[in-house]
Amino acid sequence: MTEELLAEPETSGKQLAGKELAITGFGVLSGLGIGPDALVDALTRPPEPVDVSGMFTEPLPRPDAHVLVDFHAAEHLGRKGTSFLDRGTAFGLLACRDALADAGMAEPDRARTGVVLGTTAGSLKSTSDYSRDTLTEERPYHVNPVLFPNAVMNGIAGQAAIRFGLRGLNATIAGGPLALLQALRYTGVALATGRAEVMLAGAVEEFSPQAAWSVQHAQRRAGGTLPAGEGAAVFLVEDAAAVRARGGRPDACVLSVTCSGSAASPGPAGTTDRLRECLRAALDQAGASAAQVRTVALGTDGTPWLDDAEETAVRQVLGAGAARLGTTQVTGVAGSASGAFPLAALLARHRAEPARDGELSVLSTRSADGSVAAAVVRGWSRAGGDHG
């Protein structure tokens, strides 16, 4: 990661004030399927989790999850260079490829195009398997070196840069459910300081026995019952002024992003207070009022106290009038990807419903350690709207 780009003050959205961000394409896949249509369909027709009992030899905490059971990287990315990819890396590459294609950017300026991807802790399976091999295989550490890139946290962003020849900034942000908004903030700084002209910003998470047990323990400890999920969402982000100057039409503009780090004493009241201030700052920096917001995309994750704390903060700032949109109930709990699916769902809905052109939405998210983040986004369909 580039330290100076991360050294922005907390709750700062200032980096976006002079550099409005335009999203000109995106790629998304989840347990619901590949592409935005599956995500939109699931919001009206929530699917049941699928049987995952045959996916791994290791035991799973429950037999169901929201995952792509029959996903094979080679079917989507070709056989070359994919045999040693783990699921998360393959998801990230596929989402980056689709974001570039969706933006019509078959030949980006590779020297000026960067990648910033969010995660929770990288691939828990790859890290665990590789570490175990160093202990159980014949010495001196007879482990497969080809698998090592999957075991480091920034492996997915690095593989994306290699596969698409992108030589710009390359970063990984371990922010869990806040990672997407942190990546957008990072992108704002990168564009504002001239460190990049185009950024692929997103979040990726894979399903594995290790991830499933992690979700199960967290849900059980907090009184939740949701299964695990997986997937990726990546957004192609540019300077909005530059997009309009070339006659382009953004799918959405990110007007502000505010983030605040973990709290010393996180809890329901503290989380509500911090998120309330974060939401107010996001609206203020976007120059928007609560009455203009039509949809609030929530970070709900099935944790009762945290979901209640978030809704309380949202109601205190935005009231009850704005529609609520949550995706975790249909995608499962997927760490950093859970924080990216709501934005993908908002953009997908805009494409499907031109009547929403120009609508203002707020993204809200939080984590159990007291970290909170919010963003204000204006979206359009590709069929209409002035995109100005």
Side-chain angles (χ1 to χ4, degrees):
M1 289 182 280
T2 308
E3 292 183 358
E4 62 267 34
L5 298 188
L6 293 174
E8 288 297 304
E10 286 190 347
T11 66
S12 172
K14 294 178 181 177
Q15 70 276 13
L16 301 182
K19 190 68 73 175
E20 186 178 319
L21 303 183
I23 296 174
T24 54
F26 71 103
V28 60
L29 65 151
S30 68
L32 303 166
I34 298 172
D37 292 344
L39 192 54
V40 172
D41 290 344
L43 295 177
T44 54
R45 293 186 293 274
E48 295 294 324
V50 298
D51 181 8
V52 295
S53 56
M55 283 186 72
F56 301 96
T57 56
E58 300 98 325
L60 295 167
R62 55 188 289 174
D64 58 348
H66 291 281
V67 304
L68 292 167
V69 175
D70 297 321
F71 179 85
H72 299 287
E75 293 179 1
H76 303 278
L77 298 166
R79 297 176 63 85
K80 184 178 180 181
T82 56
S83 59
F84 292 103
L85 298 181
D86 59 17
R87 292 174 70 81
T89 304
F91 290 165
L93 294 182
L94 186 55
C96 286
R97 185 200 68 182
D98 289 354
L100 287 165
D102 191 49
M105 197 167 286
E107 292 295 332
D109 180 347
R110 290 180 167 79
R112 301 290 294 158
T113 302
V115 182
V116 52
L117 296 180
T119 181
T120 300
S123 171
L124 293 177
K125 178 172 176 54
S126 295
T127 304
S128 299
D129 289 351
Y130 196 84
S131 299
R132 183 180 57 203
D133 284 351
T134 66
L135 299 172
T136 60
E137 294 298 319
E138 182 180 353
R139 291 178 181 268
Y141 309 114
H142 187 197
V143 298
N144 188 345
V146 175
L147 299 178
F148 177 75
N150 297 334
V152 294
M153 202 177 295
N154 60 355
I156 302 175
Q159 289 285 354
I162 293 168
R163 187 172 187 88
F164 302 110
L166 307 178
R167 303 192 299 277
L169 282 176
N170 195 275
T172 297
I173 296 179
L178 279 73
L180 186 273
L181 296 191
Q182 292 170 337
L184 289 176
R185 188 178 73 163
Y186 184 99
T187 295
V189 180
L191 297 183
T193 56
R195 303 291 297 274
E197 292 181 357
V198 177
M199 290 288 288
L200 287 166
V204 184
E205 216 73 59
E206 68 176 15
F207 177 76
S208 67
Q210 292 84 351
W213 281 107
S214 175
V215 169
Q216 177 78 355
H217 285 307
Q219 288 281 304
R220 182 178 297 170
R221 187 169 56 245
T225 59
L226 291 180
E230 66 177 358
V234 174
F235 306 87
L236 194 139
V237 185
E238 305 174 72
D239 175 5
V243 172
R244 292 178 182 126
R246 69 166 188 260
R249 294 158 67 100
D251 292 330
C253 284
V254 182
L255 305 181
S256 66
V257 177
T258 56
C259 304
S260 185
S262 59
S265 302
T271 299
T272 294
D273 291 345
R274 291 163 63 80
L275 183 56
R276 182 181 60 239
E277 296 311 309
C278 203
L279 288 164
R280 285 174 174 165
L283 286 175
D284 181 60
Q285 290 165 16
S289 69
Q292 293 176 290
V293 177
R294 294 291 177 266
T295 301
V296 185
L298 299 166
T300 50
D301 65 357
T303 303
W305 75 265
L306 203 48
D307 291 350
D308 290 345
E310 181 181 28
E311 174 57 30
T312 300
V314 168
R315 199 180 320 115
Q316 289 176 355
V317 177
L318 299 168
R324 271 45 169 180
L325 183 151
T327 57
T328 309
Q329 292 286 347
V330 298
T331 61
V333 180
S336 62
S338 289
F341 291 146
L343 180 55
L346 280 174
L347 298 188
R349 198 178 65 172
H350 271 291
R351 290 189 182 181
E353 302 177 28
R356 294 183 179 276
D357 280 350
E359 278 192 4
L360 213 60
S361 299
V362 166
L363 289 100
S364 160
T365 188
R366 71 288 182 277
S367 66
D369 68 355
S371 300
V372 296
V376 178
V377 176
R378 189 185 300 279
W380 296 272
S381 67
R382 288 191 165 177
D386 60 14
H387 296 211

